[in-house]
Amino acid sequence: MRRQVPLVICFVAGVLMLAQSFVPPLNWFYTNALAWARIISCIAVFIGLISLVRLHATKVRRRAADWKFSIITLLALLYMMLAGLLTRYGVFVKLHGQCVPGSMGDKIVTGFQNAFNFQDIFLNIQIPVQATMFSLLAFYIASAAFRAFRARTFEATLLLVAATIVMLGRVPVGHYIWGVPQATAWILDVPNTAAKRGIMIGIGLGMTSTALKIMLGIERTYLGIKD
Amino acid sequence: MTLETFSGTFGLWMGAALTLCIFSFLYKDNPFYRFAEHLFVGVSAGYWLVYNYWNIVKPNLIDPLREEQWQYLLPLVLGIFMLTRLFPNVGWLSRWAIAFMIGSGSGIMIITYLQSNFLEQIKSTLVPLDPTGQPWYVVVNNVILLVGVVSGLVYFFFSKAHTGVTGRIARIGVVFLMVSFGASFGYTVMARISLLIGRLYFLLHKCVGVI
């Protein structure tokens, strides 16, 4: 039962999903399965969240390295949960006044509290930190490029030339250099498209064969079954 | 200064301080960076939890169940099965939910990938190479596209040793792949530089006001 039932579910769900493309009366399964999959994957997010809480709670309990920072993570998570989930039910409204309907919980718009409500924490903490973390990669990518782009071989030279032209073509000064905008467009439209197309065809065939193997129960590592 | 202005200013400076905390990693790992990093992890996890609840769970599961659409009991049960992963004794039940997700995903993937990644790409590659009625450079580009796609595919065909003619065609494929990787790298670098400019502009314009 532990092995056979999941394989049967996988096969039936796969066949129904495949068949609905050719048998219109089965479209109900497509519509429902998409909504169901969204719900299940969303609930799966909670597993990650619980793991995160367990990890940091354990670090705090055992006084492991950097445990004080784990408290910050847990407090931030707790505050965002409360601010995001409870505002709609009026808890924060009673405390801080006016409430404006929003897409994710309601927004408190009065006074100092404004900097600490759900949406403003997202705007003032998550967005700046996320953007800065990704922008840090500019420094590391530049350092990696310095090491990788030494024109030692013909292939490395091609990589260097293509990257340089594309980078120049993406900045305002590149538009004033003769031929650079045209060369950038040509690289992106012709050789780049050709290579990407080859890769995409390979991916298409690979995905199809893997999907068939999964449906037929040949590939079952996703279930944690080793044989 | 009104409370409204003060709260806006406070939020701005909070963003600026956290930006500097993250940038401090360029020197070396330090407590300021770790503080910002841990704060980000907590805020981000909380944000996505709330986002998933209001935008997916509530409208797609709780509301339909309140309206007595009982077919939504199935994803609820499978979702609960998914959570059994946290309990080793009944963890095997999560395989049912995973099997449903993987199975339905595989079924839809066969059609979509065959259509978008296989048939459409071949259709777009097999364009007329006849010079009549179209500029010469379009024909040249079409020939280059065809050569690039075929040689790229030969490079990824590992059932035959890359020697002789196959090896030479695969080598042409490598040329196309390198140009493509270079272009992708250039794009990625520029995207990161753009983000960096955005952060510096935020600090120097919005916070300090020097530019």
Side-chain angles (χ1 to χ4, degrees):
Chain A
M1 184 153 155
R2 292 186 184 192
R3 285 165 179 240
Q4 275 74 33
V5 174
L7 292 175
V8 171
I9 292 174
C10 181
F11 178 75
V12 172
V15 168
L16 282 173
M17 211 52 153
L18 189 62
Q20 62 81 29
S21 302
F22 309 101
V23 188
L26 286 175
N27 270 343
W28 65 269
F29 181 77
Y30 172 77
T31 316
N32 281 310
L34 285 187
W36 297 345
R38 212 164 36 230
I39 295 163
I40 297 167
S41 53
C42 181
I43 293 175
V45 169
F46 288 91
I47 298 176
L49 200 75
I50 294 166
S51 302
L52 181 81
V53 173
R54 270 185 180 176
L55 174 82
H56 286 282
T58 310
K59 275 178 89 174
V60 173
R61 207 171 44 245
R62 292 182 182 165
R63 300 285 190 272
D66 291 339
W67 65 274
K68 286 169 190 164
F69 294 111
S70 292
I71 295 176
I72 292 165
T73 301
L74 292 172
L75 286 178
L77 172 63
L78 185 69
Y79 187 85
M80 283 300 270
M81 270 170 60
L82 291 175
L85 295 176
L86 297 184
T87 45
R88 185 163 283 193
Y89 298 111
V91 174
F92 277 61
V93 180
K94 275 181 194 166
L95 291 173
H96 303 293
Q98 192 187 353
C99 175
V100 175
S103 61
M104 286 172 291
D106 294 340
K107 193 177 175 189
I108 306 116
V109 289
T110 50
F112 183 74
Q113 194 62 31
N114 199 25
F116 291 106
N117 77 38
F118 179 78
Q119 200 61 27
D120 287 310
I121 287 185
F122 174 71
L123 291 174
N124 294 322
I125 295 181
Q126 184 160 336
I127 288 185
V129 174
Q130 192 169 316
T132 314
M133 277 193 172
F134 280 109
S135 76
L136 269 189
L137 290 179
F139 294 97
Y140 295 107
I141 216 167
S143 124
F146 180 73
R147 276 172 277 156
F149 276 10
R150 269 177 283 182
R152 285 177 181 161
T153 59
F154 174 64
E155 286 85 0
T157 313
L158 271 178
L159 197 84
L160 171 69
V161 171
T164 310
I165 293 173
V166 170
M167 281 192 277
L168 269 177
R170 297 288 105 191
V171 290
V173 71
H175 293 272
Y176 296 103
I177 304 172
W178 182 84
V180 168
Q182 292 83 354
T184 305
W186 185 80
I187 286 174
L188 291 173
D189 291 344
V190 184
N192 176 53
T193 306
K196 289 268 159 62
R197 209 167 262 172
I199 293 170
M200 281 174 84
I201 292 172
I203 291 172
L205 286 171
M207 291 296 270
T208 307
S209 63
T210 308
L212 270 175
K213 280 165 76 179
I214 287 172
M215 276 169 58
L216 297 173
I218 300 165
E219 168 65 56
R220 51 178 83 172
T221 45
Y222 68 95
L223 291 172
I225 299 171
K226 282 173 187 160
D227 56 330
Chain B
M1 185 186 279
T2 63
L3 277 175
E4 194 68 23
T5 323
F6 175 74
S7 68
T9 310
F10 183 81
L12 197 69
W13 279 102
M14 192 156 63
L18 289 169
T19 300
L20 290 174
C21 284
I22 296 292
F23 274 141
S24 70
F25 187 75
L26 287 170
Y27 171 60
K28 66 176 186 181
D29 195 5
N30 63 75
F32 294 106
Y33 172 78
R34 262 176 278 160
F35 167 78
E37 185 192 31
H38 281 76
L39 183 68
F40 173 71
V41 170
V43 167
S44 186
Y47 177 79
W48 287 112
L49 170 84
V50 172
Y51 180 89
N52 278 333
Y53 176 74
W54 288 117
N55 292 288
I56 298 171
V57 175
K58 192 171 180 293
N60 292 298
L61 182 67
I62 296 174
D63 291 345
L65 282 175
R66 276 185 183 158
E67 291 160 14
E68 299 181 355
Q69 296 180 33
W70 302 121
Q71 75 266 31
Y72 284 91
L73 278 175
L74 181 68
L76 176 67
V77 170
L78 288 176
I80 292 167
F81 281 1
M82 191 69 111
L83 291 177
T84 60
R85 278 193 90 79
L86 297 165
F87 310 100
N89 292 341
V90 285
W92 57 274
L93 277 170
S94 66
R95 286 180 186 164
W96 294 20
I98 294 169
F100 175 79
M101 299 281 289
I102 299 280
S104 51
S106 301
I108 198 71
M109 231 189 279
I110 290 177
I111 299 295
T112 49
Y113 272 89
L114 268 184
Q115 203 164 1
S116 64
N117 276 42
F118 190 66
L119 296 175
E120 281 301 319
Q121 299 304 323
I122 291 175
K123 195 176 143 191
S124 307
T125 308
L126 297 177
V127 287
L129 302 177
D130 180 9
T132 326
Q134 53 184 345
W136 64 269
Y137 58 86
V138 174
V139 178
V140 171
N141 282 345
N142 287 343
V143 171
I144 295 171
L145 261 174
L146 183 65
V147 171
V149 173
V150 173
S151 58
L153 282 172
V154 169
Y155 175 75
F156 286 112
F157 186 70
F158 298 117
S159 300
K160 195 173 187 313
H162 287 184
T163 50
V165 178
T166 315
R168 279 195 285 276
I169 297 174
R171 177 121 177 105
I172 296 170
V174 172
V175 169
F176 279 90
L177 286 169
M178 283 300 155
V179 172
S180 176
F181 293 153
S184 300
F185 186 86
Y187 244 102
T188 311
V189 170
M190 293 320 289
R192 303 299 177 212
I193 295 283
S194 166
L195 274 171
L196 180 64
I197 292 168
R199 295 323 299 159
L200 293 177
Y201 184 77
F202 169 75
L203 286 175
L204 299 175
H205 176 74
K206 280 193 169 175
C207 299
V208 187
V210 292
I211 57 169

